[in-house]
Amino acid sequence: MRIVVCVKHVPDLQAERAFTEQGWVDRTQGDGTLNELDENAVEAALAVAEELGGEVTVLTVGPQDAEDAVRRGLQMGADHAVHVLDDAIAGSDAFGTAAVLAAALRALAGQEPVDLVITGMAALDGLMSVVPTLVAAELGIAQLTLAAELTVTEGSVRVRRELDHATEVLEAPLPALVSVTDQSNQPRYPNFKGIMAARKKPVTTWSLDNLGVDPQRVGAAGARTRVVEATPRPPRENRVLVTDDGEAGVQLAAYLVENRLV
Amino acid sequence: MTISTAPADSTILVLVDHTGGTVRPPVLELLTLARSIGRAEALWIGDGVEPVLDTLAAHGASTVHRAPADARGLVPTVAGTVAAVVERTGAQVVLLSSTFENKEIAARVALATQAALVVDAAGVERVEGRLVTTQAAFAGTWTLRGEVTTDRAVVAVKPNAVPALAVDGAARPDVVEHPAVPTQAGPDVTLVERVERAASGRPELGEAQAVVVGGRGTNGDFSAVEDLADALGAAVGATRVATDEGWIGHEAQIGQTGVTVSPRLYVGAGVSGAVHHRGGMQSSGTIVAVNSDPESPIFEIADYGIVGDLFTVLPQAAAEIRRLRG
Ligand SMILES: Cc1cc2nc3c(=O)[nH]c(=O)nc-3n(C[C@H](O)[C@H](O)[C@H](O)COP(=O)(O)OP(=O)(O)OC[C@H]3O[C@@H](n4cnc5c(N)ncnc54)[C@H](O)[C@@H]3O)c2cc1C
Ligand SMILES: Nc1ncnc2c1ncn2[C@@H]1O[C@H](COP(=O)(O)O)[C@@H](O)[C@H]1O
């Protein structure tokens, strides 16, 4: 079983996050991390490989710092890492990112067939949740997204997913793409052994040229939207903080009525 | 690069979400929004459009397109159907409501029709002929305005972006039938099982005008939260702690990995306001928080904060609201 996990490097949620003047996510703060939700994807892949045998490759598309994301994947236990790094990728929209990921996945499959692609449910910077479906579309493989539960056998994959109005169980033959939710597992922490072992694992770096991707298709050049303004939300005004003296419920009701919220 | 200068009479195609034969409320908001940027047309996938034609027309749909549904309702097939109608109608903008499934549909439609893609939009307008969208970012702490640089755009809009407004004297819309999209020779996915969730009797969380949310502070007892929700006609939501504990179903989880809500009124009870939770509610209109810990971070974003015990404050507020309403 050969599994590739797509992982993204994102600004730390707990840190001050910002946009650059161009309206791109500011990645210069130096406190980026592996997207938390991609830890679930790495965990899912490791669990399958441990059960059925096989190898796990972590794949990222991003600037120099993004190498930290695949390093973290290696520390958790992944076997190989690929980092697609190219200045032309900066400013990519979801289509650009998906096109590069798909090209890298094709290149990996060219070396040795890939059975399963696993992604997180969303990158916690843009929170779009669309890259997985776009990658599956580019590759023409089945998508089983938002898996809360995942079962893989030699030839097929089955997921349970909880949607807004229903719960579904889907099954597909491999190869397929699965995105997993934070419900699907509890990601492991890298242990000392894992951290030491990761030091010896190389990270393969590919450029767009290596992948045969036209730079015009990706990056700011290929983006179909442009941020014209990025502004921090102004603090809420007229905020009220009261301590309950036995009447706070009554006061709250009055506030809601006064502000026409009931 | 072409800059979109779509005329105001361009076709805006609204994908109609429906369950049990009825139109989901956000669709009416989308039709209202569509009218502000062009000519609103609706797309209904499946059977049983007849009974809702008047509702769609009353909110501005001049034409209703109908296409057959695939029994499995899988994202790639639905997206293929929408893309075919987009090509046939020459629609310049597709609007749909921003649920997890619709975001994936939007992405595939945009990929297939070379359109720009915007998800979780809080607003769409036309500025000097160009389409401009508004979005919240970084857990609602930033606002982005983005411009579409292609001739076509697919925009998934969050519920409650605009109030749904009816039009006067709407005529019965034309109904245009579209053929089934041939099943693409492609990956074969089996729908093993699909269990529809029973309706709760309360408004849908993602669509509600008011939401009352319980966190760890409820200690598993949601009765006070439900009581206030019912007094307000609100939906009931929860933090991940509450859903992980099994106090309430996962579908009630609000936050970055749950439902994103932007109701007019959010009430959080026994909720600390962790960044993961804030990401799903910070763009709400008015935020009320009831928490016994004055240091709780939710007070940093609350318009009206009460330091107190939710088990006394909520029932008192519910009773007073019922009394004031008579
Ligand atoms: C990858 C990831 C994704 C996540 N996604 C989400 C998400 O989508 N949504 C989400 O909600 N969380 C999410 N979380 C979890 C999140 O980080 C927090 O742990 C969670 O939101 C905290 O829930 P809480 O506020 O109910 O509990 P706590 O943080 O424990 O807060 C409970 C609060 O209740 C107050 N309290 C106690 N008793 C009373 C009383 N009687 N009356 C009034 N107040 C009382 C306390 O003072 C406290 O402030 C995610 C975490 C991770 C790692
Ligand atoms: N630049 C990237 N490199 C690798 N994987 C990515 C990248 N962007 C998105 N992904 C994957 O796609 C998932 C969803 O991302 P998004 O659609 O951006 O919310 C993430 O959890 C990752 O698994």
Side-chain angles (χ1 to χ4, degrees):
Chain A
M1 180 80 41
R2 186 149 181 252
I3 308 170
V4 181
V5 187
C6 301
V7 298
K8 191 175 186 189
H9 190 247
V10 299
D12 188 348
L13 274 193
Q14 310 292 346
E16 225 15 81
R17 293 183 291 172
F19 287 91
T20 64
E21 267 179 31
Q22 285 146 299
W24 300 352
V25 173
D26 187 349
R27 302 188 192 278
T28 60
Q29 309 279 38
D31 47 11
T33 66
L34 167 61
N35 177 34
E36 262 173 281
L37 296 171
D38 295 346
E39 289 182 14
N40 294 101
V42 175
E43 177 61 41
L46 294 173
V48 172
E50 280 160 7
E51 193 194 326
L52 301 177
E55 288 196 338
V56 176
T57 300
V58 281
L59 165 65
T60 195
V61 171
Q64 193 66 57
D65 282 359
E67 192 182 316
D68 290 356
V70 285
R71 284 253 165 248
R72 174 86 181 177
L74 291 174
Q75 291 175 353
M76 285 177 74
D79 305 288
H80 308 283
V82 175
H83 179 187
V84 185
L85 173 67
D86 199 308
D87 289 344
I89 295 172
S92 287
D93 60 8
F95 302 105
T97 304
V100 178
L101 283 170
L105 286 161
R106 268 190 226 105
L108 284 166
Q111 299 168 344
E112 193 192 326
V114 172
D115 302 291
L116 190 58
V117 179
I118 306 185
T119 75
M121 68 180 287
L124 288 171
D125 51 356
L127 267 183
M128 290 185 73
S129 293
V130 299
V131 167
T133 194
L134 289 173
V135 171
E138 292 262 3
L139 295 174
I141 59 174
Q143 69 164 64
L144 296 96
T145 51
L146 302 173
E149 235 176 77
L150 171 68
T151 320
V152 183
T153 61
E154 277 305 332
S156 73
V157 51
R158 178 188 275 240
V159 308
R160 184 178 58 77
R161 53 205 303 260
E162 289 180 18
L163 304 172
D164 288 356
H165 305 293
T167 304
E168 283 181 354
V169 176
L170 297 178
E171 199 175 282
L174 299 178
L177 177 143
V178 173
S179 79
V180 295
T181 72
D182 57 336
Q183 307 282 306
S184 63
N185 57 43
Q186 191 60 49
R188 67 193 68 184
Y189 281 108
N191 56 23
F192 180 71
K193 214 175 119 216
I195 292 169
M196 293 313 285
R199 288 199 181 158
K200 296 199 201 81
K201 297 178 189 163
V203 174
T204 306
T205 307
W206 281 338
S207 67
L208 290 181
D209 200 31
N210 294 145
L211 297 176
V213 173
D214 175 5
Q216 289 302 313
R217 240 195 107 188
V218 304
R224 301 174 190 176
T225 52
R226 191 168 62 87
V227 173
V228 287
E229 200 182 357
T231 37
R233 188 187 164 119
R236 289 172 181 260
E237 283 172 15
N238 306 321
R239 294 192 302 122
V240 178
L241 183 62
V242 299
T243 300
D244 184 22
D245 55 359
E247 289 295 310
V250 171
Q251 289 160 7
L252 171 58
Y255 171 85
L256 296 177
V257 169
E258 196 182 308
N259 289 283
R260 298 175 190 277
L261 292 165
V262 278
Chain B
M1 185 191 299
T2 50
I3 297 295
S4 171
T5 49
D9 67 349
S10 57
T11 300
I12 316 298
L13 191 66
V14 172
L15 179 64
V16 181
D17 283 331
H18 52 91
T19 36
T22 53
V23 175
R24 300 215 63 85
V27 171
L28 307 180
E29 299 165 14
L30 295 178
L31 287 170
T32 305
L33 202 53
R35 274 187 282 134
S36 70
I37 52 173
R39 189 180 59 251
E41 300 192 0
L43 168 57
W44 174 283
I45 300 179
D47 296 325
V49 69
E50 283 298 322
V52 304
L53 287 178
D54 287 336
T55 308
L56 295 173
H59 289 83
S62 55
T63 302
V64 175
H65 300 273
R66 204 199 71 81
D70 168 83
R72 295 171 305 168
L74 299 176
V75 162
T77 322
V78 178
T81 302
V82 177
V85 175
V86 169
E87 297 291 5
R88 219 169 287 128
T89 56
Q92 274 173 324
V93 181
V94 180
L95 298 181
L96 61 181
S97 83
S98 209
T99 61
F100 276 115
E101 275 193 296
N102 278 354
K103 288 199 269 189
E104 293 185 356
I105 291 167
R108 283 186 175 247
V109 171
L111 185 70
T113 63
Q114 284 88 48
L117 171 69
V118 181
V119 300
D120 290 327
V124 184
E125 59 191 319
R126 222 182 256 294
V127 180
E128 293 165 6
R130 293 175 195 177
L131 206 62
V132 173
T133 60
T134 317
Q135 282 166 287
F138 293 156
T141 54
W142 283 69
T143 305
L144 296 183
R145 276 166 65 79
E147 186 179 82
V148 170
T149 56
T150 45
D151 290 331
R152 188 174 273 155
V154 181
V155 186
V157 183
K158 290 210 294 189
N160 296 323
V162 294
L165 298 178
V167 290
D168 291 333
R172 214 169 156 77
D174 298 330
V175 178
V176 179
E177 293 285 338
H178 294 265
V181 173
T183 325
Q184 287 127 328
D188 99 67
V189 176
T190 314
L191 177 61
V192 180
E193 183 184 271
R194 183 178 168 95
V195 182
E196 300 286 336
R197 219 180 320 282
S200 68
R202 296 196 178 90
E204 276 295 320
L205 190 54
E207 304 169 357
Q209 300 271 332
V211 174
V212 183
V213 178
R216 194 199 302 273
T218 63
N219 208 7
D221 179 358
F222 262 65
S223 59
V225 170
E226 288 171 350
D227 181 39
L228 179 60
D230 291 339
L232 290 166
V236 171
T239 64
R240 194 173 91 166
V241 167
T243 58
D244 279 356
E245 292 285 344
W247 299 338
I248 185 166
H250 171 66
E251 68 279 4
Q253 181 187 319
I254 291 174
Q256 295 199 316
T257 57
V259 183
T260 304
V261 299
S262 44
R264 289 185 64 223
L265 172 65
Y266 166 102
V267 181
V271 173
S272 64
V275 64
H276 296 101
H277 185 73
R278 291 209 300 266
M281 50 64 72
Q282 201 159 340
S283 56
S284 302
T286 298
I287 296 176
V288 173
V290 181
N291 194 306
S292 47
D293 175 6
E295 301 299 323
S296 190
I298 195 154
F299 288 130
E300 291 162 21
I301 58 162
D303 296 287
Y304 196 91
I306 298 173
V307 180
D309 186 345
L310 74 94
F311 292 106
T312 56
V313 177
L314 264 50
Q316 192 182 64
E320 178 68 3
I321 288 163
R322 291 196 172 99
R323 191 187 69 79
L324 290 171
R325 283 176 150 184

